[in-house]
Amino acid sequence: MKRNPLLIRRLALGGLALLLVGALAFVALRTSPLAPTRVTVTRLQEGRLSPALFGIGTVEARRGWMVGPTVAGRVLSVKVDVGDAVKAGQLLAEMDPVDLDQRLSALDASLARAGSTQAAAQAQVRDATARRELATMNARRN
């Protein structure tokens, strides 16, 4: 009897597929959440416990605050370090107002310059008014 090669090929592929499904089921049942949990049994002993903490990680504050100066200047001294506990109203740092004198003098100079510009504009207005009056007088005379 001659066997059909197509039938043999189908049976071989079916057997291989069944074998693969079985291997997948075995792996899924041994290593997935469906796998049995390993249990370690030990004898109960009496003794002292000492607390210990092990681990690698980052400790972060519950709340963070942005602190900054209200005026321009340079930092003169810093009174606290990173991680120090502070209380309300505690001095954290001192600022040196190095630029405030220069700013005040610059603002005074700007104010004086604006005043002189205003005086010059008023002089130009008076000059233009005088020229207009002179022109009207010349027009009447002619």
Side-chain angles (χ1 to χ4, degrees), residues 16-26:
L16 182 63
L18 190 61
L19 183 66
L20 284 175
V21 168
L24 180 65
F26 177 77

Side-chain angles (χ1 to χ4, degrees), residues 85-102:
V86 295
K87 296 178 183 175
Q90 181 179 349
L91 184 65
L92 302 178
E94 288 181 321
M95 299 293 290
D96 184 22
V98 292
D99 296 340
L100 291 181
D101 295 333
Q102 289 86 5

Side-chain angles (χ1 to χ4, degrees), residues 59-96:
V59 177
E60 294 181 4
R62 288 184 195 151
R63 292 185 213 126
W65 299 96
M66 297 297 291
V67 178
T70 55
V71 295
R74 293 189 185 135
V75 176
L76 184 64
S77 64
V78 178
K79 304 292 184 185
V80 294
D81 287 328
V82 175
D84 288 352
V86 295
K87 296 178 183 175
Q90 181 179 349
L91 184 65
L92 302 178
E94 288 181 321
M95 299 293 290
D96 184 22

Side-chain angles (χ1 to χ4, degrees), residues 11-137:
L11 287 176
L13 284 177
L16 182 63
L18 190 61
L19 183 66
L20 284 175
V21 168
L24 180 65
F26 177 77
V27 169
L29 291 175
R30 298 297 288 167
T31 60
S32 71
L34 300 174
T37 305
R38 291 185 182 175
V39 177
T40 304
V41 179
T42 184
R43 301 189 91 204
L44 180 64
Q45 298 175 359
E46 188 173 329
R48 293 185 59 184
L49 292 176
S50 61
L53 179 66
F54 297 100
I56 298 172
T58 304
V59 177
E60 294 181 4
R62 288 184 195 151
R63 292 185 213 126
W65 299 96
M66 297 297 291
V67 178
T70 55
V71 295
R74 293 189 185 135
V75 176
L76 184 64
S77 64
V78 178
K79 304 292 184 185
V80 294
D81 287 328
V82 175
D84 288 352
V86 295
K87 296 178 183 175
Q90 181 179 349
L91 184 65
L92 302 178
E94 288 181 321
M95 299 293 290
D96 184 22
V98 292
D99 296 340
L100 291 181
D101 295 333
Q102 289 86 5
R103 285 188 180 189
L104 284 175
S105 63
L107 288 174
D108 288 340
S110 175
L111 185 62
R113 186 173 48 246
S116 67
T117 303
Q118 183 183 11
Q122 287 174 352
Q124 287 178 350
V125 168
R126 283 192 305 270
D127 182 50
T129 305
R131 287 176 187 245
R132 179 174 163 244
E133 289 176 6
L134 180 63
T136 54
M137 286 179 19

